[in-house]
C-alpha cells in the first residue's frame, strides 16, 4: 500500500517536472496495462480513486478495475430488464458520481451507482453508439436515426433539443458529392463533453470535428489534416495505392472504413482524437490542430477508447489495454 | 327544475368520471396482467426499446403444428426454458448453434423451437437427430397477435422461462454469443466470460480431458489413451452431416492409405451426427478409420465458450509420442496432404 502511494507520488513528481511544451511525444510508446479478460472494450473512464471503469461491449457489462487489472466490481450483464445491458457502447461518470451507460442494443440510457446498483433508465427508441454527459449534467447522444447529429437530454431523460445538421461526404471530403442516402451513416460520431458544458462531435467516417455550446449551437468546425488524414481518406475512397482499412464498421449492412476510432477530452480541455492507424491528433479548445503523435509501433489494432489518469494516457484496443510508457503532462 | 337539472348534471358527471376511472383501471389491469407489445401505445420506461414484448409478460397462446400434431405454445413452454424463434425460413448456418445450445442445455430443461410458415424449411435442414424442434403455424397468426410485419424475411426471437414469462425478446435473430450468455445467465445463474478464441491451435501439446466411446467395441477411453493409440486424430463437429462425411471420408482414407496406413481416429461430436450414424451403423472406411463418439462436449473445441460466430471446425491433429505436434483445420490438412502425394 505504502509502496503504491510512493509510486504514485513519484509519478506525480515526474509529471510535474516535465517541461511545458513537451506534453505529447512525437511518437507514442506504449506498454500493456489493465490486464484482464475483455472482448471488445469501447469505454475507458478514469475514476477519482485511481481505478478505471471499463465498458466491455462484448460481454455486455462494465467493470471497475484497479490499474493491476483486478476486478473490483461488475456492473450489468446481458439482458433487457432494468440494470441489464445489451452491447453497451459508451460510458461516463456524471457530476453526482453516478455511472451512466449508453445501452445501445436496448436503445436506452441507464444510470448506476458506483456500487453497481441500478438507479434509473430512459428510453431512446433508436440505436446509438456514442454519448457524453456534459458538465451541467445533460446527456448528449449521437442521434442520426432521429435526423440530427445529436440530441440533448436532461439527466432525467427529458429531450431538450436535437441539433446538428446531418452531413454528407462533401463535408469531410472536399471534392466528393454528398449522397442523401448516406447522411445517417456519415453523421455517426463520437461525442465528448468539453469543460464549459458544451461538447465536441468527432465524426467516425470523416476527418471532421465540431464543437457545440451547451445550448447546441455550433461554435466551430475543423477538418483534420496531415499525411495520416490523407492516407485515411484514400483508404475510405478505395483510391489506388490506399492502405487496407484497419477497422471496418458495418452500418446499415455496409462495411465502411473508420477514420477516427476514438476521442477523449483531456484535463486541459483539449481534444485528443485517434485515427484508425493509431496516430493521435490533439486539438485546442478553439479548434486549432496542435500536435500529431505518430502511432506506437506495437499497437496491433485501432484504438477504441482513450483515457488520461495519473499522468499516463491509456488506450483500449478491442480486448486489451495499453498505457503510455512514460508520463505525459497535460 | 333548475335544481333538478343541476343534480342530473352532477350525476352524469359522476357517472362519466366513474366510467373513465373504471375504463382506466381495466386498461391498467390489462396492461399489467396481459402481454404488451412494444408499440407507442404500450411503451413504457421499463421496456427495452428494441424488444418486442415486455419482460414478465406472456406470449399469446398460439396453436402450432409439430410432427403433424396440434400443440398450444402455453403447453410447450410449461416447465422448460425455451428459445422461441418465429421466422420466415431456416438456413443451414442458423441451425447449428441452436442444435449446439439445445444439446448442451437439454439436461437443464432447455428447448429450442423454430416456428415457420407451412412448408418451410426443406426437410434436409431437419435431420432426424435434430435436438431443436421445428413447428409450423398458419402464416401471420403470431404476427397479427404481436403487431409485427410478417412479409418478407423476418425472425423474432423470444426467451421464455418455465412459467411462460418472457425474459428477452427482439425482432431479429439473437447473435450466437448473446444467446449463450443469456442462457448461462438465466439457466445456470453465472456467465462464463473467459472464452477461448484459439481453436484449433489450443490443442497443440496435450488434449483436454474428455471421454469417448469406441464405435465398434463400445469401450470407453479417455483422451490420453486416445493420444497414445493414434498418429492422427480428427474431430468432426456436430453440424457435419452425413453428406459432409460421405464426401470427405474417402479423401481422408486415400491420404491415410498413401501414408502407409496412419493409425487414425475420428472423434465424432457427442451430439447431432454421432447419434444418427451410430444408430444406423453406416460409418464408412471402418477398416482404416477408428471411430470414437465423444461422451460429452469436448473442452476447447466445441464447448460453448468460444467466441461469437466462430463455430468449431473439423480439426486434424498430428500426434507423436502421445503428444499433439500440430493442429490444423481438417480441410487445410487434407489439401496439404493431397498436394504432398
Amino acid at each position: 500500500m505504502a509502496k503504491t502511494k510512493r509510486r504514485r507520488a513519484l509519478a506525480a513528481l515526474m509529471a510535474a517536472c516535465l517541461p511545458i511544451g513537451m506534453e505529447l511525444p512525437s511518437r507514442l510508446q506504449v506498454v500493456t496495462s489493465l490486464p484482464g479478460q475483455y472482448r471488445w472494450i469501447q469505454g475507458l473512464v478514469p475514476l477519482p480513486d485511481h481505478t478505471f471503469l471499463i465498458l466491455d461491449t462484448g460481454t455486455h457489462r462494465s467493470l471497475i478495475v484497479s490499474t493491476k487489472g483486478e476486478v473490483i466490481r461488475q456492473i450489468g450483464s446481458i439482458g433487457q430488464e432494468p440494470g441489464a445491458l445489451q452491447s453497451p457502447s459508451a460510458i461516463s461518470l456524471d457530476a453526482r458520481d453516478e455511472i451512466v451507460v449508453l445501452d445501445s442494443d436496448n436503445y436506452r440510457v441507464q444510470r448506476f451507482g458506483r456500487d453497481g446498483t441500478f438507479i434509473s433508465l430512459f428510453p431512446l427508441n433508436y440505436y446509438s453508439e456514442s454519448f457524453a454527459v456534459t458538465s451541467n449534467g445533460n446527456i448528449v447522444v449521437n442521434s442520426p436515426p432521429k435526423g440530427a447529429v445529436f440530441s440533448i437530454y436532461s439527466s432525467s431523460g427529458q429531450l431538450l433539443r436535437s441539433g446538428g445538421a446531418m452531413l454528407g461526404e462533401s463535408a469531410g471530403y472536399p471534392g466528393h458529392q454528398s449522397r442523401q442516402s448516406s447522411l445517417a451513416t456519415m453523421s455517426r460520431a463520437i461525442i465528448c463533453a468539453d469543460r464549459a458544458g458544451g461538447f465536441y462531435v468527432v465524426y467516425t467516417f470523416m476527418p471532421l470535428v465540431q464543437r457545440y455550446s451547451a445550448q447546441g449551437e455550433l461554435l466551430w468546425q475543423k477538418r483534420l489534416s496531415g499525411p495520416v488524414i490523407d492516407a485515411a481518406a484514400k483508404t475510405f475512397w478505395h483510391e489506388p495505392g490506399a492502405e487496407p482499412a484497419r477497422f471496418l464498421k458495418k452500418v446499415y449492412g455496409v462495411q465502411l472504413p473508420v477514420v477516427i476510432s476514438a476521442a477523449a477530452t483531456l484535463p486541459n480541455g483539449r481534444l485528443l482524437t485517434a485515427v484508425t492507424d493509431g496516430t493521435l491528433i490533439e486539438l485546442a479548445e478553439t479548434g486549432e490542430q496542435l500536435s500529431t503523435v505518430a502511432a506506437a509501433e506495437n499497437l496491433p489494432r485501432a484504438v477504441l477508447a482513450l483515457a488520461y489518469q495519473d499522468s499516463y494516457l491509456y488506450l483500449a484496443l478491442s480486448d486489451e489495454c495499453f498505457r503510455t510508457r512514460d508520463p505525459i503532462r497535460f | 327544475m333548475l335544481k333538478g337539472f343541476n343534480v342530473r348534471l352532477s350525476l352524469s358527471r359522476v357517472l362519466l368520471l366513474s366510467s373513465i376511472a373504471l375504463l382506466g383501471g381495466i386498461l391498467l389491469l390489462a396492461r399489467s396482467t396481459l402481454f404488451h407489445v412494444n408499440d407507442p401505445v404500450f411503451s413504457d420506461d421499463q421496456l427495452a426499446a428494441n424488444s418486442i414484448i415486455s419482460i414478465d409478460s406472456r406470449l399469446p397462446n398460439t396453436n402450432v403444428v409439430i410432427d403433424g400434431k396440434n400443440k398450444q405454445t402455453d403447453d410447450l413452454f410449461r416447465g422448460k426454458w425455451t428459445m422461441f424463434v418465429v421466422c420466415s425460413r431456416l438456413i443451414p448456418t442458423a441451425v447449428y448453434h441452436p442444435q449446439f445450445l439445445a444439446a448442451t442445455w437439454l439436461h437443464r430443461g432447455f428447448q429450442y423451437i423454430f416456428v415457420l410458415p407451412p412448408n418451410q424449411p426443406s426437410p434436409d435442414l431437419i435431420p432426424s437427430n435434430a435436438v431443436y424442434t421445428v413447428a409450423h403455424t398458419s402464416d401471420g397468426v403470431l404476427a397479427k397477435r404481436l403487431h409485427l410485419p410478417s412479409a418478407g424475411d423476418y425472425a423474432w426471437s423470444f426467451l421464455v422461462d418455465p412459467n411462460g414469462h418472457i425474459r428477452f425478446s427482439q425482432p431479429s435473430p439473437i447473435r450466437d454469443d448473446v444467446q449463450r450468455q443469456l442462457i448461462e445467465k438465466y439457466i445456470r445463474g453465472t456467465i462464463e466470460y473467459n472464452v477461448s478464441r484459439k481453436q484449433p491451435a489450443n490443442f497443440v501439446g496435450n488434449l483436454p480431458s474428455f471421454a469417448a466411446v469406441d464405435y465398434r467395441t463400445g469401450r470407453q477411453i479417455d483422451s490420453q489413451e486416445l493420444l497414445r493409440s493414434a498418429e492422427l486424430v480428427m474431430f468432426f463437429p456436430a453440424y457435419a452431416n452425413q453428406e459432409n462425411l460421405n464426401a470427405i471420408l474417402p479423401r481422408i482414407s486415400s491420404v491415410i492409405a498413401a501414408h502407409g496406413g496412419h493409425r487414425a481416429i475420428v472423434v465424432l461430436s457427442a451430439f447431432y451426427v454421432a447419434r444418427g450414424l451410430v444408430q444406423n451403423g453406416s460409418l464408412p472406411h471402418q477398416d482404416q478409420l477408428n471411430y470414437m463418439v465423444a461422451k460429452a462436449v469436448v473442452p476447447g473445441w466445441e464447448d460453448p465458450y468460444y467466441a461469437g460466430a466462430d463455430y468449431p471446425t473439423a480439426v486434424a491433429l498430428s500426434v507423436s509420442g502421445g503428444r499433439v505436434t500440430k493442429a490444423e483445420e481438417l480441410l487445410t490438412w487434407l489439401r496439404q496432404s493431397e498436394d504432398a502425394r
Side-chain angles (χ1 to χ4, degrees):
Chain A
M1 190 69 173
K3 205 173 169 184
T4 312
K5 275 186 179 169
R6 274 203 302 277
R7 204 164 43 231
R8 280 194 191 128
L10 186 66
L13 186 68
M14 283 170 67
C17 293
L18 286 172
I20 291 168
M22 294 272 294
E23 292 108 337
L24 280 170
S26 58
R27 178 174 285 280
L28 207 59
Q29 295 196 304
V30 296
V31 293
T32 54
S33 184
L34 305 175
Q37 292 286 339
Y38 310 113
R39 297 282 289 280
W40 189 256
I41 301 171
Q42 293 212 98
L44 197 54
V45 178
L47 297 176
D49 60 0
H50 308 283
T51 57
F52 280 90
L53 196 51
I54 291 182
L55 185 69
D56 188 3
T57 303
T59 56
H60 314 275
R61 62 184 175 154
S62 176
L63 297 168
I64 296 179
V65 299
S66 71
T67 48
K68 288 181 180 168
E70 296 151 335
V71 176
I72 297 163
R73 190 161 295 120
Q74 174 176 328
I75 298 162
S77 63
I78 182 72
Q80 290 178 326
E81 65 271 26
L85 303 168
Q86 195 184 0
S87 302
S89 52
I91 192 162
S92 189
L93 196 68
D94 72 3
R96 289 182 292 191
D97 210 28
E98 290 173 354
I99 295 162
V100 190
V101 180
L102 179 59
D103 187 10
S104 296
D105 272 354
N106 284 334
Y107 293 9
R108 64 191 180 187
V109 172
Q110 298 205 64
R111 193 178 287 275
F112 298 87
R114 279 284 294 279
D115 62 356
T117 51
F118 167 75
I119 296 174
S120 62
L121 65 79
F122 68 88
L124 292 176
N125 295 313
Y126 57 88
Y127 179 83
S128 176
E129 285 187 5
S130 183
F131 81 162
V133 180
T134 62
S135 57
N136 55 18
N138 288 339
I139 296 165
V140 184
V141 182
N142 179 221
S143 58
K146 276 179 76 79
V149 174
F150 60 83
S151 292
I152 305 177
Y153 298 84
S154 69
S155 59
S156 60
Q158 184 193 354
L159 177 63
L160 302 176
R161 68 191 68 86
S162 292
M166 300 278 277
L167 297 178
E169 291 88 335
S170 63
Y173 302 105
H176 288 274
Q177 292 272 316
S178 290
R179 290 169 298 166
Q180 190 66 27
S181 60
S182 65
L183 292 184
T185 301
M186 299 307 287
S187 296
R188 286 282 185 101
I190 302 160
I191 312 285
C192 296
D194 68 14
R195 291 192 300 181
F199 52 94
Y200 297 103
V201 173
V202 182
Y203 286 81
T204 304
F205 300 111
M206 298 190 281
L208 195 68
V209 180
Q210 297 170 328
R211 188 176 174 197
Y212 289 87
S213 69
Q215 289 70 41
E217 295 150 343
L218 181 64
L219 300 176
W220 51 255
Q221 175 172 304
K222 167 79 181 177
R223 186 183 184 276
L224 301 177
S225 60
V228 174
I229 293 299
D230 294 342
K234 274 176 84 170
T235 299
F236 185 85
W237 291 104
H238 309 290
E239 288 174 7
E243 291 283 319
R246 199 167 190 191
F247 178 24
L248 291 161
K249 207 166 216 180
K250 201 171 187 179
V251 187
Y252 300 120
V254 179
Q255 287 212 314
L256 285 174
V258 168
V259 174
I260 308 293
S261 56
T265 310
L266 296 169
N268 59 11
R270 292 174 183 173
L271 181 75
L272 195 62
T273 61
V275 185
T276 34
D277 77 334
T279 300
L280 302 179
I281 296 176
E282 186 190 21
L283 288 178
E285 287 177 285
T286 53
E288 182 192 354
Q289 187 170 327
L290 303 171
S291 46
T292 297
V293 185
E297 282 163 356
N298 55 342
L299 287 186
R301 291 175 297 281
V303 176
L304 296 183
L306 289 164
Y308 182 72
Q309 172 88 299
D310 293 334
S311 305
Y312 290 97
L313 186 66
Y314 287 79
L315 309 95
L317 284 80
S318 62
D319 60 353
E320 58 188 330
C321 290
F322 293 81
R323 71 158 169 77
T324 48
R325 192 190 63 187
D326 305 310
I328 296 174
R329 188 183 175 193
F330 290 109
Chain B
M1 183 71 182
L2 193 63
K3 200 174 176 182
F5 176 78
N6 279 344
V7 168
R8 278 199 299 276
L9 189 64
S10 299
L11 273 174
S12 64
R13 274 183 184 160
V14 167
L15 281 172
L16 181 67
L17 287 171
S18 305
S19 306
I20 290 169
L22 186 64
L23 186 63
I26 290 168
L27 281 173
L28 275 174
L29 188 68
R31 181 178 163 160
S32 60
T33 54
L34 302 174
F35 73 97
H36 77 246
V37 174
N38 188 23
D39 65 18
V41 177
F42 288 107
S43 285
D44 68 21
D45 285 356
Q46 302 303 303
L47 177 57
N50 192 27
S51 61
I52 299 173
I53 179 168
S54 66
I55 288 169
D56 289 333
S57 59
R58 303 175 72 90
L59 276 177
N61 189 24
T62 310
N63 185 66
V64 294
V65 179
I66 300 174
D67 294 332
K69 292 177 186 155
N70 286 314
K71 307 264 183 183
Q72 296 295 306
T73 50
D74 275 357
D75 296 333
L76 291 173
F77 296 152
R78 194 168 297 125
K80 288 191 171 186
W81 280 94
T82 307
M83 187 62 81
F84 190 71
V85 179
V86 183
C87 52
S88 53
R89 64 193 176 102
L90 274 185
I91 55 172
T93 51
V95 296
Y96 167 66
H97 198 256
Q99 173 77 4
F100 179 81
L101 276 180
T104 306
W105 295 99
L106 198 61
H107 68 290
R108 297 287 290 265
F110 173 75
Q111 60 181 347
Y112 207 115
I113 301 177
F114 288 104
V115 179
L116 294 153
N119 306 319
Q120 282 275 353
S122 58
D124 58 339
L125 275 175
I126 316 172
S128 58
N129 49 11
V131 186
Y132 54 85
T133 302
V134 175
H136 292 92
T137 187
S138 303
D139 241 347
V141 171
L142 269 166
K144 279 176 203 150
R145 303 286 300 275
L146 294 170
H147 305 187
L148 286 163
S150 61
D153 257 4
Y154 61 88
W156 318 312
S157 309
F158 307 88
L159 179 61
V160 188
D161 75 13
N163 298 316
H165 293 135
I166 295 295
R167 309 310 315 167
F168 189 96
S169 67
Q170 71 179 39
S172 55
I174 304 175
R175 291 198 304 272
D176 293 346
D177 198 53
V178 171
Q179 290 191 36
R180 175 186 71 80
Q181 292 190 40
L182 281 171
I183 287 166
E184 287 179 359
K185 172 176 173 171
Y186 292 115
I187 298 181
R188 190 173 66 186
T190 56
I191 299 170
E192 175 60 58
Y193 292 115
N194 185 10
V195 293
S196 164
R197 295 185 186 202
K198 293 175 180 166
Q199 53 156 318
N202 52 3
F203 284 118
V204 174
N206 213 341
L207 275 183
S209 177
F210 68 90
V213 173
D214 189 304
Y215 172 68
R216 272 183 296 202
T217 65
R219 190 172 75 89
Q220 182 171 317
I221 65 166
D222 65 23
S223 46
Q224 298 314 309
E225 189 182 346
L226 187 141
L227 280 185
R228 286 195 295 274
S229 56
E231 294 165 286
L232 178 69
V233 177
M234 290 166 281
F235 285 100
F236 280 81
Y239 64 90
N241 57 31
Q242 188 148 2
E243 288 71 34
N244 296 146
L245 287 180
N246 287 342
I248 207 166
L249 286 172
R251 290 171 63 192
I252 292 171
S253 175
S254 305
V255 167
I256 289 170
H259 282 81
H262 268 342
R263 283 176 293 135
I265 292 177
V266 172
V267 180
L268 298 168
S269 169
F271 35 87
Y272 198 4
V273 170
R275 290 197 314 171
L277 289 180
V278 170
Q279 280 160 10
N280 64 26
S282 59
L283 286 167
H285 303 286
Q286 291 184 39
D287 51 331
Q288 285 175 309
L289 300 169
N290 189 11
Y291 289 95
M292 303 278 170
V293 181
K295 288 277 287 178
V297 164
V298 177
W301 173 55
E302 59 174 0
D303 58 35
Y305 309 135
Y306 58 81
D310 296 336
Y311 299 152
T313 51
V315 175
L317 309 175
S318 303
V319 181
S320 177
R323 290 182 64 78
V324 178
T325 55
K326 197 172 182 186
E328 302 164 277
E329 287 194 8
L330 183 75
L331 284 176
T332 307
W333 168 82
L334 187 58
R335 282 193 209 103
Q336 287 171 352
S337 302
E338 286 172 337
D339 291 347
R341 271 197 292 167

